[in-house]
Amino acid sequence: MTTKRSLARPDWWMDMAEPGAEAGNLRHYLGVRDSIAARIESGDLAQGACLPSERQLQIGTGAARGTVRAALIQLEAEGLIYRKDRSGWYVAPPPVVYDPTRLEGFMSYVSAQGRVPLTETLSAHEISAPPAVAEILSIAPDTPIYEIRRRRYIDGRAVLLERIYVLPEVAPGVIQHNLDQSLTSLLRDNYNISLERNWVEMQPCALTGDEASALRIKTGLPGLRLRRICYDALGRVVEYDIEHWRHDALKVCVDIRGR
């Protein structure tokens, strides 16, 4: 019976350098990328494990520092690893599954998959509705509306920044409540509002500016932009959400059945 090498050993990455591979493919960033990916796939690097430093990887592979950095950036773009500020590179956890056909909130579907969700309210105040938002809400531009800005976590990692727009006439004083909880539950329990229909749009994007800063990632990394319009039984728009996800945190799955 073989036992996987302990991650505590400081020299596991030294095996990445093949004998005699002085200037071969291994020194190309894709060769370094393939070697690290193989360690992840084999389980030598478990989910959440910290990779050796870039300097250590450079020594172990015999590759240039720029080559190692390019390999790590490629792995990050593929969703296999991610970077923590001033901490290093880590093996990415599996994404959560999202089914846009189900009327289920973030807290609910993340918990149902055995993960730990957390919501952090960054701001909540009344604003004048921008023209694009006013059109969605079927109101005149500059009409007072609530804007809620929240950062959401899965297993302690920031994965999502969202902006939610709500009409005061639909949920008066909603921003005075604790918004670190499920907004769906808050509307149901305090305002007797149940969501009956969602319109959802998803498209890839680059995470820049406010989104990148809030998610503590390097600007320009790929992400997923999701817009959701939620309606009640009367067809009123209850809330309008704009979400920006880390590209490695979410997997969209839909189960379509024939009649």
Side-chain angles (χ1 to χ4, degrees):
M1 177 178 177
T2 59
T3 303
K4 287 179 181 176
R5 187 179 321 205
S6 168
L7 294 179
R9 287 187 56 178
D11 58 348
W12 67 263
W13 67 90
M14 298 297 290
D15 294 342
M16 292 169 61
E18 297 177 351
E22 296 179 356
N25 291 335
L26 190 61
R27 295 201 176 205
H28 189 272
Y29 84 95
L30 288 179
V32 178
R33 175 259 170 225
D34 291 347
S35 296
I36 298 174
R39 294 283 182 177
I40 295 172
E41 292 166 5
S42 70
D44 278 352
L45 277 172
Q47 295 168 12
C50 182
L51 271 65
S53 69
E54 292 182 22
R55 175 61 178 166
Q56 291 169 327
L57 288 171
Q58 181 185 2
I59 295 172
T61 61
R65 186 71 174 269
T67 299
V68 169
R69 171 59 65 88
L72 294 172
I73 292 173
Q74 175 70 28
L75 289 164
E76 182 180 38
E78 294 173 24
L80 292 177
I81 65 174
Y82 71 99
R83 187 169 18 190
K84 287 185 182 179
D85 287 343
R86 297 179 296 277
S87 179
W89 294 90
Y90 291 79
V91 179
V96 294
V97 176
Y98 171 63
D99 182 351
T101 67
R102 299 184 62 180
L103 293 172
E104 192 175 18
F106 173 87
M107 304 293 280
S108 177
Y109 69 76
V110 172
S111 297
Q113 295 174 51
R115 312 288 289 276
V116 180
L118 178 69
T119 300
E120 176 189 9
T121 302
L122 301 177
S123 62
H125 50 263
E126 188 174 277
I127 65 168
S128 298
V133 176
E135 183 178 0
I136 296 293
L137 298 177
S138 299
I139 58 176
D142 296 328
T143 298
I145 60 173
Y146 295 140
E147 181 188 61
I148 302 166
R149 183 169 166 269
R150 305 193 298 185
R151 179 165 47 210
R152 313 195 84 165
Y153 299 76
I154 297 176
D155 300 334
R157 184 171 73 130
V159 298
L160 159 65
L161 177 69
E162 65 179 356
R163 284 182 175 83
I164 305 172
Y165 300 97
V166 181
L167 285 170
E169 63 195 60
V170 172
V174 70
I175 58 175
Q176 304 303 320
H177 290 268
N178 173 17
L179 298 173
D180 290 348
Q181 61 180 305
S182 165
L183 186 59
T184 301
S185 299
L186 174 62
L187 292 172
R188 182 190 64 233
D189 298 340
N190 291 271
Y191 297 93
N192 198 29
I193 296 174
S194 295
L195 303 182
E196 297 293 334
R197 180 166 67 94
N198 277 350
W199 176 89
V200 179
E201 173 192 84
M202 291 173 283
Q203 65 183 88
C205 67
L207 297 173
T208 59
D210 187 41
E211 292 81 27
S213 176
L215 295 175
R216 306 184 184 100
I217 61 175
K218 183 179 179 181
T219 186
L221 281 177
L224 182 67
R225 182 175 184 264
L226 190 151
R227 293 198 304 147
R228 181 187 297 106
I229 306 173
C230 305
Y231 301 85
D232 66 7
L234 299 176
R236 296 183 304 172
V237 175
V238 174
E239 61 179 273
Y240 171 42
D241 305 347
I242 302 176
E243 303 177 359
H244 286 86
W245 282 82
R246 291 185 62 109
H247 75 292
D248 59 355
L250 188 71
K251 178 168 65 175
V252 179
C253 294
V254 179
D255 185 5
I256 300 175
R257 301 173 184 268
R259 296 181 180 177

